[in-house]
């Protein structure tokens, strides 16, 4: 942890000590993904300028890109009015944030009207996940 | 609820039956706010084309704009790869999503370096909340 972490006091972590973080492409405005951070992940993100999350499944720090190389360079960090959501404006190395090999995790769009709606995959896979995670 | 709600099966609600929803301005790409939805809120959002959330504090459906007039017209709904975050692309009536009278709830930016970081309010209040919630 950094020496002066009073900026962390403005943040409302949930019962598990986590806060959701949105990663947004700083140039295009595309929302790339949402993941979780604990205080340590956020602190390391600020210190290194690279997005670090908390993996709830693996229960450890997840330095985004550690396996894929798809690092996120952090240009700006914002906090919402309730202090319970973080927004990262990032440069996405490799142009791929999603583990499916797509730019964004939000690649499914709801089509149709109420009662007949379906999810349609609308964004292309840019790289086969098998070639990302070797 | 709509008759055919199989599209809801793709969604992973949390233990409280909720999913976080990001509202993004469809034209500018600005992230306006993050709120929560239950199945009923999402279903009504799809049916009416206006953003409906679940207010965790008031424990009831929150039809965005019901008091302020700051309705969100929904242009597109997306779901992320894990099925546990919703993205709404919206037209924000009145240009104000935040209860503080600002366009976006993400009006605080982290400035400075690790150890000496502070949150700076960088976006203006467009309308006094006293004039929004009369």
């Amino acid at each position: 942890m950094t020496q002066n972490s009073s900026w962390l006091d403005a943040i409302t972590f949930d019962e598990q000590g986590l806060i959701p973080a949105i990663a947004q492409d700083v140039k295009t405005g595309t929302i790339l993904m949402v993941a979780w951070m604990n205080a340590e992940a956020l602190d390391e993100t600020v210190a290194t300028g690279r997005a670090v999350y908390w993996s709830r499944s693996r229960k450890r720090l997840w330095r985004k890109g550690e396996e894929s190389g798809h690092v996120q360079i952090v240009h700006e960090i914002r906090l919402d009015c309730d202090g319970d959501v973080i927004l990262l404006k990032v440069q996405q190395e490799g142009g791929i944030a999603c583990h499916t090999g797509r730019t964004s995790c939000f690649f499914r769009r709801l089509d149709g009207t109420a009662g007949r709606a379906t999810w349609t995959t609308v964004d292309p896979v840019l790289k086969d996940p098998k070639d990302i995670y070797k």
Side-chain angles (χ1 to χ4, degrees), chain A:
Chain A
M1 305 289 285
T2 51
Q3 292 183 319
N4 175 355
S5 54
S6 62
W7 58 276
L8 279 169
D9 297 340
I11 297 172
T12 303
F13 295 95
D14 70 10
E15 316 81 56
Q16 281 86 47
L18 301 175
I19 185 170
I22 305 167
Q24 182 180 33
D25 187 293
V26 67
K27 283 189 186 165
T28 65
T30 299
I31 298 179
L32 300 169
M33 55 180 280
V34 172
W36 294 83
M37 290 182 159
N38 61 6
E40 189 181 359
L42 183 53
D43 198 66
E44 186 171 316
T45 297
V46 173
T48 63
R50 294 177 172 218
V52 179
Y53 302 103
W54 176 258
S55 170
R56 293 182 298 176
S57 56
R58 290 175 285 181
K59 300 191 194 312
R60 65 168 178 84
L61 287 182
W62 165 31
R63 295 173 180 90
K64 173 69 181 164
E66 61 193 2
E67 291 179 55
S68 62
H70 296 154
V71 170
Q72 293 174 337
I73 311 294
V74 178
H75 285 245
E76 192 173 300
I77 300 177
R78 292 207 176 203
L79 182 64
D80 76 343
C81 53
D82 295 330
D84 60 3
V85 184
I86 290 282
L87 167 60
L88 305 177
K89 297 190 183 185
V90 306
Q91 175 186 327
Q92 176 62 63
E93 297 296 297
I96 295 172
C98 186
H99 76 287
T100 65
R102 295 177 174 89
T103 299
S104 163
C105 294
F106 292 90
F107 57 81
R108 287 184 283 180
R109 185 183 67 201
L110 193 66
D111 287 338
T113 53
R116 293 193 181 189
T118 52
W119 296 104
T120 309
T121 295
V122 291
D123 297 334
V125 172
L126 302 180
K127 191 170 181 179
D128 190 324
K130 287 200 295 277
D131 295 327
I132 299 176
Y133 306 95
K134 291 175 184 172

